[in-house]
């Protein structure tokens, strides 16, 4: 499980999304709400496109 959180952290850092804790929490909720935490999801492991929903 820690590998999963390390992956999320590195994805956020590589996409240079704001360092705000609030932004990170919102992205994490959107990630789960979209079902991307399931290995079968086509965008599993990707936060691509989620930040567009925040910037709205």
């Amino acid at each position: 499980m820690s590998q999963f959180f390390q992956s999320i952290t590195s994805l956020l850092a590589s996409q240079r999304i704001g360092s705000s804790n609030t932004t990170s929490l919102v992205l994490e909720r959107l990630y789960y709400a979209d079902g991307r935490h399931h290995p079968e999801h086509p965008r599993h492991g990707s936060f691509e496109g989620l930040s567009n929903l925040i910037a709205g």
Side-chain angles (χ1 to χ4, degrees), residues 2-41:
S2 67
Q3 178 64 31
F4 174 75
F5 290 111
Q6 288 174 351
S7 298
I8 289 175
T9 303
S10 65
L11 282 170
L12 287 172
S14 70
Q15 292 181 2
R16 295 181 187 210
I17 296 173
S19 62
S20 165
N21 287 337
T22 304
T23 302
S24 296
L25 290 173
V26 171
L27 282 174
E28 185 176 353
R29 286 182 177 229
L30 288 171
Y31 180 86
Y32 279 91
D34 193 38
R36 295 183 188 201
H37 61 290
H38 293 294
E40 301 84 26
H41 193 284

